[in-house]
Protein backbone atom coordinates (compact mmCIF):
# COMPACT_ATOMS: atom_id res chain seq x y z
CA UNK A 1 0.00 0.00 0.00
CA UNK A 2 1.49 3.33 -1.07
CA UNK A 3 0.25 5.74 1.61
CA UNK A 4 0.96 5.90 5.33
CA UNK A 5 -2.06 4.46 7.14
CA UNK A 6 -0.87 4.89 10.72
CA UNK A 7 -3.00 8.02 11.37
CA UNK A 8 -6.09 6.13 10.24
CA UNK A 9 -5.71 3.07 12.48
CA UNK A 10 -8.17 2.42 15.28
CA UNK A 11 -7.02 1.68 18.88
CA UNK A 12 -6.53 -2.00 17.90
CA UNK A 13 -4.22 -0.98 15.02
CA UNK A 14 -6.80 -1.89 12.40
CA UNK A 15 -7.96 0.06 9.37
CA UNK A 16 -11.25 -1.82 9.50
CA UNK A 17 -12.64 -4.04 12.22
CA UNK A 18 -16.16 -5.36 12.60
CA UNK A 19 -18.06 -8.48 13.60
CA UNK A 20 -21.51 -9.70 12.75
CA UNK A 21 -23.63 -12.77 12.37
CA UNK A 22 -23.99 -14.26 8.94
CA UNK A 23 -26.87 -13.65 6.58
CA UNK A 24 -29.96 -15.80 7.11
CA UNK A 25 -30.50 -18.73 7.15
CA UNK A 26 -26.91 -19.25 8.37
CA UNK A 27 -26.28 -18.49 12.04
CA UNK A 28 -22.49 -18.44 11.85
CA UNK A 29 -20.52 -15.54 13.27
CA UNK A 30 -17.67 -13.71 11.52
CA UNK A 31 -15.03 -11.11 12.28
CA UNK A 32 -13.14 -8.90 9.82
CA UNK A 33 -9.84 -7.33 10.84
CA UNK A 34 -7.81 -5.33 8.32
CA UNK A 35 -4.33 -4.09 9.25
CA UNK A 36 -1.85 -2.06 7.24
CA UNK A 37 -0.51 -5.26 5.69
CA UNK A 38 -3.13 -7.98 5.83
CA UNK A 39 -6.78 -8.92 5.81
CA UNK A 40 -7.83 -11.36 8.51
CA UNK A 41 -11.18 -13.11 8.22
CA UNK A 42 -12.40 -15.32 11.08
CA UNK A 43 -15.60 -17.28 11.36
CA UNK A 44 -17.29 -19.56 13.84
CA UNK A 45 -19.76 -22.22 12.84
CA UNK A 46 -22.88 -22.02 15.02
CA UNK A 47 -24.70 -25.36 15.09
CA UNK A 48 -26.70 -27.32 17.67
CA UNK A 49 -24.45 -29.27 20.08
CA UNK A 50 -26.01 -32.55 18.99
CA UNK A 51 -24.68 -32.29 15.43
CA UNK A 52 -21.50 -34.17 14.52
CA UNK A 53 -19.74 -30.98 13.40
CA UNK A 54 -20.62 -29.05 16.59
CA UNK A 55 -17.02 -29.12 17.82
CA UNK A 56 -15.53 -27.50 14.73
CA UNK A 57 -13.01 -24.91 15.88
CA UNK A 58 -13.16 -21.33 14.59
CA UNK A 59 -11.58 -20.78 11.18
CA UNK A 60 -9.17 -18.00 10.27
CA UNK A 61 -7.64 -16.84 6.99
CA UNK A 62 -4.77 -14.32 7.00
CA UNK A 63 -3.68 -12.83 3.71
CA UNK A 64 -1.56 -10.00 2.47
CA UNK A 65 -3.57 -7.69 0.26
CA UNK A 66 -2.19 -9.31 -2.88
CA UNK A 67 -2.91 -12.85 -1.62
CA UNK A 68 -6.42 -11.81 -0.62
CA UNK A 69 -7.23 -10.59 -4.13
CA UNK A 70 -6.25 -14.02 -5.53
CA UNK A 71 -7.99 -16.32 -3.01
CA UNK A 72 -11.35 -17.33 -4.49
CA UNK A 73 -12.04 -19.73 -1.60
CA UNK A 74 -11.97 -16.97 1.02
CA UNK A 75 -13.98 -14.72 -1.33
CA UNK A 76 -16.65 -17.41 -1.48
CA UNK A 77 -16.69 -17.77 2.32
CA UNK A 78 -16.95 -13.99 2.85
CA UNK A 79 -19.73 -13.78 0.29
CA UNK A 80 -21.62 -16.65 1.97
CA UNK A 81 -21.31 -15.19 5.47
CA UNK A 82 -21.13 -11.42 5.04
CA UNK A 83 -22.52 -10.82 1.57
CA UNK A 84 -21.23 -9.32 -1.64
CA UNK A 85 -21.08 -5.74 -0.30
CA UNK A 86 -18.54 -6.72 2.37
CA UNK A 87 -16.53 -8.73 -0.15
CA UNK A 88 -16.40 -5.82 -2.61
CA UNK A 89 -15.49 -3.44 0.23
CA UNK A 90 -12.56 -5.65 1.30
CA UNK A 91 -11.42 -6.02 -2.30
CA UNK A 92 -11.38 -2.23 -2.69
CA UNK A 93 -9.23 -1.93 0.44
CA UNK A 94 -6.85 -4.60 -0.88
CA UNK A 95 -6.60 -2.62 -4.13
CA UNK A 96 -5.65 0.49 -2.15
CA UNK A 97 -8.99 2.28 -2.37
CA UNK A 98 -9.65 3.24 1.24
CA UNK A 99 -12.60 5.34 2.39
CA UNK A 100 -10.78 8.03 4.36
CA UNK A 101 -13.93 10.09 4.86
CA UNK A 102 -15.37 7.42 7.17
CA UNK A 103 -12.24 7.56 9.33
CA UNK A 104 -12.38 11.27 10.09
CA UNK A 105 -13.31 12.30 13.65
CA UNK A 106 -17.01 12.96 14.24
CA UNK A 107 -16.45 16.65 15.01
CA UNK A 108 -14.80 17.13 11.59
CA UNK A 109 -17.57 15.19 9.85
CA UNK A 110 -20.19 17.34 11.59
CA UNK A 111 -18.50 20.48 10.28
CA UNK A 112 -18.63 18.99 6.78
CA UNK A 113 -22.32 18.12 7.24
CA UNK A 114 -23.11 21.70 8.19
CA UNK A 115 -21.69 22.88 4.85
CA UNK A 116 -24.09 20.68 2.87
CA UNK A 117 -27.58 21.50 1.66
CA UNK A 118 -30.26 19.69 3.67
CA UNK A 119 -31.10 17.44 0.70
CA UNK A 120 -27.45 16.41 0.32
CA UNK A 121 -27.13 15.85 4.06
CA UNK A 122 -30.18 13.56 4.02
CA UNK A 123 -28.76 11.64 1.04
CA UNK A 124 -25.45 11.21 2.86
CA UNK A 125 -27.37 10.00 5.92
CA UNK A 126 -28.85 7.22 3.79
CA UNK A 127 -25.43 5.81 2.81
CA UNK A 128 -24.42 4.04 6.03
CA UNK A 129 -25.09 3.73 9.76
CA UNK A 130 -22.32 6.13 10.74
CA UNK A 131 -23.67 8.94 8.58
CA UNK A 132 -27.28 8.18 9.49
CA UNK A 133 -26.29 8.61 13.14
CA UNK A 134 -24.31 11.81 12.50
CA UNK A 135 -27.02 13.33 10.30
CA UNK A 136 -29.54 12.86 13.12
CA UNK A 137 -27.34 14.19 15.96
CA UNK A 138 -29.13 16.83 17.99
CA UNK A 139 -26.17 19.23 18.09
CA UNK A 140 -26.02 19.25 14.26
CA UNK A 141 -29.73 20.10 14.06
CA UNK A 142 -29.39 22.78 16.73
CA UNK A 143 -26.82 24.58 14.56
CA UNK A 144 -29.00 24.16 11.48
CA UNK A 145 -32.01 25.49 13.40
CA UNK A 146 -30.14 28.50 14.78
CA UNK A 147 -28.74 29.54 11.39
CA UNK A 148 -31.86 29.01 9.26
CA UNK A 149 -34.98 29.52 11.38
CA UNK A 150 -36.09 33.08 12.07
CA UNK A 151 -37.77 32.17 15.37
CA UNK A 152 -35.69 33.59 18.25
CA UNK A 153 -34.14 30.92 20.45
CA UNK A 154 -35.50 31.53 23.94
CA UNK A 155 -34.95 29.48 27.08
CA UNK A 156 -38.46 28.02 26.56
CA UNK A 157 -37.49 26.95 23.06
CA UNK A 158 -34.27 25.36 24.35
CA UNK A 159 -36.28 23.45 26.97
CA UNK A 160 -38.67 22.26 24.29
CA UNK A 161 -35.69 21.24 22.12
CA UNK A 162 -34.30 19.16 24.99
CA UNK A 163 -37.63 17.35 25.14
CA UNK A 164 -38.47 17.07 21.43
CA UNK A 165 -35.09 17.42 19.70
CA UNK A 166 -33.84 20.18 17.41
CA UNK A 167 -34.53 18.23 14.22
CA UNK A 168 -38.18 17.86 15.09
CA UNK A 169 -38.43 21.54 15.94
CA UNK A 170 -36.76 22.42 12.65
CA UNK A 171 -39.40 20.53 10.69
CA UNK A 172 -42.28 21.85 12.82
CA UNK A 173 -44.09 24.75 11.16
CA UNK A 174 -44.20 28.10 12.96
CA UNK A 175 -47.80 27.78 14.12
CA UNK A 176 -47.22 24.34 15.62
CA UNK A 177 -44.03 25.61 17.24
CA UNK A 178 -45.89 28.51 18.89
CA UNK A 179 -48.52 26.10 20.23
CA UNK A 180 -45.82 23.81 21.64
CA UNK A 181 -44.00 26.76 23.23
CA UNK A 182 -47.22 27.96 24.91
CA UNK A 183 -47.81 24.45 26.26
CA UNK A 184 -44.22 24.34 27.53
CA UNK A 185 -44.60 27.72 29.28
CA UNK A 186 -47.91 26.67 30.90
CA UNK A 187 -46.31 23.43 32.11
CA UNK A 188 -43.39 25.35 33.61
CA UNK A 189 -45.78 27.81 35.32
CA UNK A 190 -47.79 24.94 36.80
CA UNK A 191 -44.60 23.30 38.08
CA UNK A 192 -43.50 26.60 39.66
CA UNK A 193 -46.90 26.99 41.40
CA UNK A 194 -46.64 23.44 42.78
CA UNK A 195 -43.12 24.03 44.15
Amino acid sequence: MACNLKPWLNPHHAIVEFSDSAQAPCKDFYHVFVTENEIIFRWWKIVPPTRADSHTPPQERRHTYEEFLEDDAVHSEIQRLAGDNVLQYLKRIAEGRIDFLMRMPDDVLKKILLCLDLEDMMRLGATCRQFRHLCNEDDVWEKIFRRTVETPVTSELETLAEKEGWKRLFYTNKLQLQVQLRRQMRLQQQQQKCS
Side-chain angles (χ1 to χ4, degrees):
M1 185 143 297
C3 63
N4 177 14
L5 298 174
K6 291 220 184 298
W8 302 101
L9 300 178
N10 73 11
H12 301 116
H13 304 288
I15 298 166
V16 173
E17 178 181 20
F18 59 91
S19 303
D20 205 349
S21 43
Q23 303 178 106
C26 182
K27 293 182 178 9
D28 296 353
F29 181 79
Y30 68 89
H31 179 243
V32 174
F33 193 86
V34 181
T35 70
E36 292 178 88
N37 308 320
E38 63 184 352
I39 295 176
I40 304 165
F41 186 71
R42 300 176 178 109
W43 69 97
W44 295 260
K45 193 159 194 62
I46 308 298
V47 295
T50 55
R51 278 188 30 184
D53 61 346
S54 66
H55 300 293
T56 305
Q59 303 284 320
E60 177 181 278
R61 297 292 180 269
R62 287 177 174 260
H63 293 300
T64 64
Y65 291 166
E66 295 78 24
E67 292 168 345
F68 177 80
L69 290 170
E70 302 298 321
D71 190 341
D72 291 336
V74 81
H75 294 175
S76 172
E77 200 61 34
I78 291 170
Q79 199 163 26
R80 180 182 76 83
L81 294 169
D84 193 55
N85 288 342
V86 171
L87 175 60
Q88 297 310 317
Y89 177 63
L90 293 175
K91 282 182 174 181
R92 284 192 300 274
I93 290 172
E95 292 166 350
R97 295 185 284 156
I98 297 177
D99 54 347
F100 291 104
L101 182 66
M102 301 286 291
R103 287 159 177 62
M104 290 183 169
D106 284 355
D107 60 325
V108 173
L109 291 172
K110 287 178 184 180
K111 287 178 183 177
I112 293 170
L113 288 176
L114 291 170
C115 294
L116 299 175
D117 294 333
L118 284 178
E119 296 82 20
D120 293 334
M121 190 173 102
M122 300 315 287
R123 283 190 204 105
L124 183 62
T127 61
C128 67
R129 276 183 243 154
Q130 180 184 6
F131 283 124
R132 181 173 47 245
H133 173 74
L134 286 172
C135 290
N136 285 302
E137 288 261 331
D138 205 46
D139 59 329
V140 170
W141 282 98
E142 178 181 3
K143 289 177 179 139
I144 291 169
F145 186 96
R146 287 179 185 272
R147 81 168 181 225
T148 57
V149 176
E150 296 170 5
T151 305
V153 178
T154 62
S155 60
E156 291 85 12
L157 184 64
E158 287 178 337
T159 304
L160 185 60
E162 284 178 27
K163 181 180 171 189
E164 300 289 333
W166 287 102
K167 182 178 180 181
R168 184 165 182 175
L169 292 184
F170 179 82
Y171 284 111
T172 301
N173 73 36
K174 289 182 183 183
L175 185 59
Q176 290 173 320
L177 187 57
Q178 289 173 354
V179 169
Q180 287 181 337
L181 281 171
R182 277 193 224 112
R183 269 193 219 134
Q184 181 71 27
M185 288 183 357
R186 272 184 282 176
L187 183 63
Q188 286 177 341
Q189 289 170 352
Q190 289 174 350
Q191 289 174 344
Q192 286 174 352
K193 287 179 185 178
C194 294
S195 333

